[in-house]
Amino acid sequence: MKFNTLVLDCDGVILDSNRVKTDAFYSATLPYGEQAAAAMVDYHVRNGGVSRYRKFAYFLEHLAPAGVVGPDLDALLAAYASEVRAGLLTCAVAPGLEALRQHTSAARWLVASGGDQAELREVFEARGLLSLFDGGIFGSPDAKEDIVKRELENGNIRSPALFIGDSRYDHVVAQQNGLDFVFLTGWSEFKGWEDYFAPYQVLVKNSIKDLMPCVEETH
């Protein structure tokens, strides 16, 4: 496979951070009770890749128990961000990431994530990853589908392009925008992915390092 652009999700692809964010959703919503916090985690896992802004808004509208006084949207976002940032600075980086970058040196790389854009850029700079992504690092509050559509339209994503993700949402975004897709299982929280991907011709790998024999850049 030869590509001009590689689009990577962050959590579960570049960083082993899915559990960090799952735990942070639980902690942030715990003032509403254990049952509500567990419901938040279930909703989050079932909607991997969707931004925290959408998820907390959904929680307050549909999952928070009536009559319970708890943190508002801004307070939930602040509590979540504080816990997540510490985790993002210490969690594992995908083995083979820099090797794949060298192997695809002529291709443009960019991040399209459900994570907060400013937070991602700070974390990537702190961890020495910023220079790998010459196409930029993009995240919420813009939705992932809007990011990919916009970057296609402005020429930053050049076809043929590959999206590397670990969620159903990643696959949907890739399909909507005509990108090829690779699903990574190793850090994914997507339960039932085997049945979901059965009808599709999607390459499934465990991790970034397993892509080395599969991906080449165009020249």
Side-chain angles (χ1 to χ4, degrees):
M1 299 183 292
K2 296 180 182 290
F3 298 100
N4 282 318
T5 309
L6 270 64
V7 181
L8 291 83
D9 178 44
C10 176
D11 302 309
V13 173
I14 299 169
L15 299 178
D16 184 12
S17 47
N18 280 330
R19 174 49 57 182
V20 168
K21 295 197 169 181
T22 298
D23 291 345
F25 275 113
Y26 184 86
S27 298
T29 55
L30 192 56
Y32 285 94
E34 293 183 357
Q35 185 173 351
M40 179 72 241
V41 165
D42 180 65
Y43 176 75
H44 157 66
V45 171
R46 287 189 288 106
N47 292 274
V50 176
S51 79
R52 68 191 66 177
Y53 300 90
R54 288 187 183 183
K55 288 177 178 176
F56 282 124
Y58 182 90
F59 173 81
L60 290 172
E61 185 173 353
H62 300 287
L63 301 177
V68 176
V69 177
D72 62 9
L73 180 59
D74 288 341
L76 288 170
L77 288 166
Y80 175 88
S82 177
E83 184 168 340
V84 162
R85 192 176 190 281
L88 292 178
L89 289 170
T90 56
C91 65
V93 176
L97 184 68
E98 293 195 12
L100 183 64
R101 188 65 184 103
Q102 293 171 6
H103 184 67
T104 60
S105 57
R108 180 172 295 163
W109 274 33
L110 63 145
V111 172
S113 173
D116 181 80
Q117 180 170 287
E119 177 184 85
L120 285 171
R121 291 176 177 178
E122 290 176 5
V123 168
F124 275 49
E125 183 172 16
R127 304 204 64 172
L129 300 173
L130 206 57
S131 63
L132 301 180
F133 299 95
D134 55 328
I137 296 170
F138 306 102
S140 61
D142 293 335
K144 195 176 297 187
E145 63 265 30
D146 295 333
I147 292 169
V148 173
K149 182 175 184 291
R150 180 191 69 216
E151 297 307 309
L152 274 166
E153 290 175 347
N154 68 25
N156 191 30
I157 297 176
R158 299 171 297 172
S159 297
L162 174 68
F163 195 120
I164 304 173
D166 74 319
S167 70
R168 175 171 51 190
Y169 181 41
D170 291 338
H171 178 242
V172 170
V173 171
Q175 276 195 310
Q176 288 175 343
N177 291 282
L179 277 61
D180 287 306
F181 186 74
V182 169
F183 177 69
L184 300 185
T185 64
W187 292 335
S188 176
E189 292 184 324
F190 181 11
K191 297 178 181 178
W193 64 263
E194 297 94 339
D195 292 335
Y196 172 79
F197 284 114
Y200 301 103
Q201 291 185 327
V202 167
L203 184 65
V204 177
K205 293 289 182 179
N206 183 66
S207 64
I208 286 283
K209 63 181 175 58
D210 298 316
L211 290 176
M212 283 296 292
C214 305
V215 179
E216 299 179 19
E217 78 280 6
T218 58
H219 294 282

